[in-house]
Amino acid sequence: MNNLTNAWRKARKGKTKKLYVIEFEKNIRENLLQLRKELLEQTYSPEPLKTFVIQDPKTRKISKSTFRDRIVHHALVRIIEPIFDKAFICDSCANRIGKGTLFALKRFDLFKKRITTNLHSMAFCLKADIKHYFQEINRNTLLEIIQRKIKDNNLLGLIRLILGNFDKTRGMPLGNLTSQFFANVYLNELDYFVKHTLRAKYYIRYVDDFVILHKSESQLAK
């Protein structure tokens, strides 16, 4: 119950004037107790996602969960985030405590100075992203990665339920907290490949956008 209460507080942050929050909070104790009961009895079922399109500047399809389901997402992430986060590399910068865009920019500036000896020599930057990342994630692969650290079948069942609410076969909804978190879990595999197999010293990732800095243009082309 403590976890659900804290999750509710996180889910409502900056949204206290929204009608769906006001409505849920009219019977806050009863609603949270009911949510707890459903989770314990494994009768919880997420409601259909609300989908809309935004321009930022690219066209993006956002799939938004109901407020009740977002509380569950926060409760889930509060439990599993500490388990995974300690395995993430320092320069995975998105959706992590103490990280973010400013942290990523500072790291880029530091790497830029190091690779060019304080801007006294030439170096190159490879910038890339993963096309249609959220829509194309292989959920079976994601679940295999999750199962390396999470062994509780009830928790794994809840994760499958949340993922399956978007599409029955692949991808994750852009707009859910769980999707942001699992995006890092999934691409942590890429981070380890780049750092340990390719041995790229100057590498930064923010969700599916990443950069590698190197003195050799031909090495980056490879």
Side-chain angles (χ1 to χ4, degrees):
M1 192 62 184
N2 282 343
N3 186 29
L4 280 176
T5 303
N6 286 321
W8 157 64
R9 290 192 179 114
K10 283 211 162 195
R12 79 193 290 270
K13 195 173 181 181
K15 300 177 178 66
T16 53
K17 294 182 180 179
K18 298 283 187 182
L19 286 176
Y20 57 78
V21 176
I22 294 167
E23 193 63 33
F24 187 87
E25 292 178 355
K26 283 179 181 176
N27 297 296
I28 183 62
R29 180 170 169 76
E30 291 81 358
N31 285 333
L32 289 178
L33 282 170
Q34 179 60 31
L35 202 49
R36 177 179 182 271
K37 182 173 183 287
E38 290 174 22
L39 288 165
L40 286 171
E41 295 176 354
Q42 297 177 49
T43 57
Y44 166 77
S45 181
E47 295 176 26
L49 299 169
K50 183 181 178 182
T51 301
F52 54 93
V53 174
I54 64 168
Q55 303 276 350
D56 73 335
K58 290 193 292 186
T59 301
R60 296 179 188 271
K61 189 163 79 170
I62 305 295
S63 296
K64 192 175 181 181
S65 295
T66 63
F67 183 65
R68 185 177 192 265
D69 291 331
R70 275 180 266 164
I71 293 172
V72 175
H73 298 172
H74 277 279
L76 172 66
V77 171
R78 277 174 51 80
I79 296 299
I80 65 174
E81 184 174 34
I83 298 168
F84 286 94
D85 191 76
K86 58 189 175 187
F88 293 165
I89 67 166
C90 174
D91 295 308
S92 166
C93 301
N95 310 307
R96 296 177 67 195
I97 295 168
K99 307 288 182 175
T101 50
L102 184 60
F103 175 86
L105 288 167
K106 285 181 177 177
R107 292 292 284 177
F108 184 86
D109 195 48
L110 175 67
F111 291 171
K112 180 180 68 177
K113 288 175 181 175
R114 285 181 179 174
I115 198 76
T116 60
T117 321
N118 275 331
L119 308 180
H120 286 100
S121 62
M122 185 175 284
F124 299 87
C125 176
L126 167 68
K127 183 197 177 297
D129 66 24
I130 300 170
K131 188 176 181 181
H132 301 149
Y133 174 55
F134 280 89
Q135 299 99 302
E136 298 295 336
I137 280 177
N138 184 313
R139 287 217 301 267
N140 289 330
T141 301
L142 173 61
L143 286 164
E144 285 172 14
I145 295 167
I146 292 169
Q147 285 169 349
R148 292 177 202 162
K149 292 188 179 293
I150 304 294
K151 304 300 179 185
D152 184 270
N153 287 327
N154 293 340
L155 191 53
L156 290 169
L158 178 61
I159 291 168
R160 288 191 190 95
L161 199 62
I162 291 169
L163 291 172
N165 194 38
F166 174 62
D167 183 277
K168 298 302 176 190
T169 56
R170 64 180 181 180
M172 295 191 299
L174 187 59
N176 275 359
L177 174 69
T178 46
S179 299
Q180 295 168 13
F181 175 73
F182 289 137
N184 275 343
V185 171
Y186 195 81
L187 285 182
N188 191 47
E189 305 293 305
L190 171 68
D191 298 342
Y192 274 65
F193 173 75
V194 173
K195 296 294 288 182
H196 299 294
T197 303
L198 299 184
R199 297 191 177 278
K201 189 174 181 181
Y202 301 116
Y203 164 77
I204 306 167
R205 180 175 63 79
Y206 192 94
V207 194
D208 63 325
D209 290 283
F210 58 94
V211 293
I212 303 174
L213 281 66
H214 204 282
K215 283 189 176 292
S216 168
E217 186 178 12
S218 60
Q219 184 62 35
L220 290 178
K222 288 178 185 178

